[in-house]
Amino acid sequence: MLGAIIGDIVGSRFEFGAAPKRDFELFTSECSYTDDTICTVAIADAVLNGREYKDALRDWCNRYPDPMGAYGNMFAQWLASDDPQPMNSFGNGSAMRVSPIGWLYSDWEEVIGEAERSAVVTHNHPEGIKGAQCIAEVISWLRHMRFTKPEIERKVQKFFQYEIPPMKDILKIGAQGHFDATCQETVPMALRCFIDANNFEETIRLAVMCDGDTDTKACIAGSVAEAYYGIPDWMVERTFAYLPDDMLEILDQFYTKIRSEINPKQ
Ligand SMILES: [Mg+2]
């Protein structure tokens, strides 16, 4: 979950500008959490505190109505509606907010089912659902099965029919100014960043350097990388400084639960 938030914060300042060079500064005063973080916290709150996904998303997004980068147009209309209905979206928003489900559920059926439930309140298009299910399941696989990266790539192709493009192709279309905003594009690109990088920090850097939807690509890649590598302490500390108290409370609740499941004595 925190891996997603770190990717979002680091990628935030590059969403609408040129991609940075390899040694760019990760955390600056221009960085902020964006909709990716707010929606991720909302999904965690829903699972941890027994809330409906729709209610939690609307609550958190209305608490933070004007994040850096703004909400997408369709999602903003959904937030403003008195009677919000699913919008048949296949935008990458369903995959960027799903990471808590990969940690808080374990069985294949549970992870797949909850990822779908978290998606369909807005992203009820089959590709929107699939994007969320794939990322939640990859996190679950990495945590419980300790699959290797080649195994992850094969299983993603087998169960979710994503062809993960080579990095050179992703960099090429990013350099051409292409902005990826769908699950079909962003999910396999983010997985390539995870597969090609050698550690958590490098995963985030690669995803941001691919340009396009930098915060969401880094958010999704970071959420997967956390399950594989963990997160360096210094990055956790820097990230906390960007987050308001109510988000920190949900993070505390989330990691307390995760730790207690790994070590029941804690
Ligand atoms: Mg965003």
Side-chain angles (χ1 to χ4, degrees), residues 168-189:
K168 66 175 172 43
D169 291 359
I170 302 173
L171 291 169
K172 190 172 160 192
I173 64 166
Q176 290 166 348
H178 179 74
F179 192 90
D180 56 296
T182 66
C183 277
Q184 302 94 298
E185 283 193 307
T186 307
V187 166
M189 286 181 185

Side-chain angles (χ1 to χ4, degrees), residues 8 15 34-36 68 70 213 215-216:
D8 178 39
E15 184 175 4
T34 82
D35 55 342
D36 307 51
M68 183 173 176
D213 196 353
D215 55 335
T216 298

Side-chain angles (χ1 to χ4, degrees), residues 131-233:
Q133 289 176 321
C134 176
I135 293 304
E137 196 53 50
V138 167
I139 290 169
S140 184
W141 280 333
L142 289 170
R143 291 183 56 227
H144 297 292
M145 316 293 281
R146 304 307 299 172
F147 285 148
T148 63
K149 290 179 176 180
E151 286 170 335
I152 290 290
E153 186 163 358
R154 281 196 297 277
K155 287 186 177 297
V156 162
Q157 187 179 32
K158 178 177 174 188
F159 290 104
F160 300 101
Q161 296 80 48
Y162 284 127
E163 293 291 340
I164 301 181
M167 182 54 72
K168 66 175 172 43
D169 291 359
I170 302 173
L171 291 169
K172 190 172 160 192
I173 64 166
Q176 290 166 348
H178 179 74
F179 192 90
D180 56 296
T182 66
C183 277
Q184 302 94 298
E185 283 193 307
T186 307
V187 166
M189 286 181 185
L191 289 171
R192 170 57 63 204
C193 296
F194 160 66
I195 289 166
D196 279 15
N198 294 302
N199 55 49
F200 179 84
E201 181 180 334
E202 196 182 320
T203 306
I204 301 289
R205 288 187 179 280
L206 260 183
V208 173
M209 288 190 301
C210 289
D211 213 350
D213 196 353
T214 48
D215 55 335
T216 298
K217 207 142 53 223
C219 167
I220 296 172
S223 75
V224 172
E226 177 182 9
Y228 190 76
Y229 299 110
I231 301 174
D233 288 345

Side-chain angles (χ1 to χ4, degrees), residues 63-82:
R63 273 190 230 183
Y64 297 95
D66 190 25
M68 183 173 176
Y71 293 108
N73 283 342
M74 281 168 66
F75 190 77
Q77 286 172 20
W78 183 84
L79 283 177
S81 170
D82 292 334

Side-chain angles (χ1 to χ4, degrees), residues 5-7 13 30 41 54 92 122 141 180 182 214 242:
I5 293 173
I6 292 173
R13 67 190 174 108
E30 293 169 46
V41 170
K54 181 163 96 172
N92 53 25
T122 50
W141 280 333
D180 56 296
T182 66
T214 48
Y242 290 90

